[in-house]
Amino acid sequence: MVSRKGQPDPAAKAWAVLQGLAGRPVTEICGEHDIGEAEYGRWREEFFSEHAMPLVAAMSGRAAPDSGKPPARRGEAMRVAQEMIEILPVPVFFKGRDGKYLGVNKAWEDLFGLSREDFVGKEVHDLYPQSKAVADKHFAMDQELWNKPGSQSYEIPIVTPDGRTRHTIYYKATFTQTSGEVAGLIGTIIDITKRKEAEQGQAIEYSVTRLLAQAHTVEDAMPIVIRTLCEGLGYAYGARWVHEPKEHILRCTESWCVDDPAVQAFREMSVRRIETKPDAPGGLNRKVWITGEPVWMPDLKLETKLQRRDGALAAGLNSAFGLPILVGGEFYGVMEFFSRQARERDARVIEIVQTAGIQLGQFIARMQAEAAVRDANDELERQAQELMRSNAELQQFAYVASHDLQEPLRMISSYTQLLKRRYGDRFDKEATEFMDYVVDGSVRMKQLIEDILAYSRVGTRGREFRTVQSEAALKKALVNLRASIEASGATVTQGTLPPVEADDVQLAQLFQNLIGNALKFTSATKPQIHVDVVAMPQAWEFSVRDNGIGIDPQYFERIFMVFQRLHSKDEYTGTGIGLAICKKVIDRHGGRIRVESRPGEGSTFYFTLPRKIGEANGRT
């Protein structure tokens, strides 16, 4: 059906008018037919004046009045219009000036489940016997249209005779008799239930999301979430039941109900209950608990295993449903809802509440994870404080013990040497040897105590980091080692060393320990030691290379531990703390120390220092 410019097709004009009544925007219709809105208004007036009364007569089974038009033209136009209205997928109805229904189409019959033969001649209050408010609204809108003829539209929820609630938009327009007097109105009904339900679901999901985003605890969020679901879906009571694994029970933790004493009494009874898991499904919550699936009870009068049935019915609650709450895939609890209306299973309602349940499960999981993190942080903080206290005590102990042990050692050494000088000639060879052992032991003990003291002071007596010349720290170490270098005939060379961010005293101690080790663990040849550095992206990597006896790779980690010696004291002197002090110094600077070596091929010790304070120091 198309219109030809200058000669519009009557069928196309009629279809355009009916599409307008069905809710299609007038601008779209005008654009399709290349006409203005004023022209479309003339089409509508022409349609109503020519076809309304004949259509009313045809759709009600009565004879049509004479319109004055040629019979052939009038019959063809009416037939086309009537066929269009009958096949139109939206309900269409006609009303007389007295408010009585004059005719309806098939879509109207399907929506209300009524036949036109049974209903034509009745009024709007006969269509909604159980919904007086809806009937009153329609009646008032009709009166407004009689007082101001033309067209109108409004949105209203209706309840069909079978109990279904439908969200609708009504479009109405008056039509006149040949005399020009208003004879009645034609109306169409657009069912927007799916759109409304989708909007409702989105609104509930948004509200729950917002509530959970703002809540700090599950207990704060749940009452508002339950109320939002109940009010949005039209339920009088809702609650959350939580599974307590230790006792193996379900307990009602949060609930909400409408302001009704009878429903409030049912709520109080539910809160007092404790559900225990049976061997077979019982009431609503226990059945959800066992099956792990949503459970719908459309008519509580039939639910003989529901122990709260009598209380629910006394409160005017006639149907219910429940579904599980899962946290991390595990059963956590149940959400239940009770309605005053008897409701058949509604997949849409289940989907909305399941979505809310998923959001709730994720929220609970997040709360649990955050609580676990807080607990872990608290435990780490406690352990850190305990470690700091323990370290402080150990450092204090090492310091005090070192000082307290120094005096008796000096006394042992002094008096042993005094005995040897005064009475040495009276001692035999064996006694003299024993005296030497005592003196040697005292000396080694003194060195051990001094090394322990030095180790304990690395973290407590260190200076603040600042820019220092690493070459100056190396020269200070070489001055301290001058006697050993000269005695061994060693050669120490160096590359160009950069300024670094460090503790200059500890840096000198670091060089001194590493070079001292190279001088100590030397082979038959004269020691050759080279100190150098390379630039890394965020650190300087220093190296101390020697031509000494080397180290077996299996001991690379062990040598940096306190008191770990690879040789006996008879082979090489020392306490086994020197490299441990090196590692502690490097750890304080945030760097890394390592060694590369093979037995008989010398060793190279590497350590990193920051190029700038706060940067990574070669740990990556």
Side-chain angles (χ1 to χ4, degrees), residues 242 258 330 514 578 618:
V242 174
V258 294
E330 298 295 327
L514 293 176

Side-chain angles (χ1 to χ4, degrees), residues 311-383:
L313 294 175
L317 304 174
N318 293 292
S319 65
F321 79 96
L323 45 76
I325 303 172
L326 302 179
V327 176
E330 298 295 327
F331 179 79
Y332 175 85
V334 177
M335 279 198 294
E336 66 173 6
F337 299 89
F338 283 72
S339 172
R340 285 169 166 162
Q341 292 79 35
R343 296 189 179 189
E344 293 298 323
R345 186 181 181 91
D346 190 330
R348 181 187 68 89
V349 170
I350 291 177
E351 181 181 358
I352 290 174
V353 180
Q354 277 183 325
T355 300
I358 292 172
Q359 292 176 285
L360 178 60
Q362 293 171 341
F363 176 76
I364 294 171
R366 189 175 78 247
M367 291 293 102
Q368 291 177 342
E370 290 177 357
V373 169
R374 285 195 299 271
D375 291 344
N377 287 337
D378 291 343
E379 178 62 18
L380 287 174
E381 180 66 21
R382 186 194 66 78
Q383 292 179 357

Side-chain angles (χ1 to χ4, degrees), residues 278-292:
D279 296 331
L284 180 62
N285 291 324
R286 285 178 291 163
K287 194 170 184 178
V288 174
W289 187 0
I290 288 179
T291 63

Side-chain angles (χ1 to χ4, degrees), residues 131 133 139 165 196 236 241-242 368-369 371 480 500 509 529 542 584:
S131 303
F139 182 81
T165 298
K196 279 291 185 181
W241 294 67
V242 174
Q368 291 177 342
N480 294 337
V500 294
Q509 183 181 24
I529 303 168
F542 288 81
K584 195 168 184 181

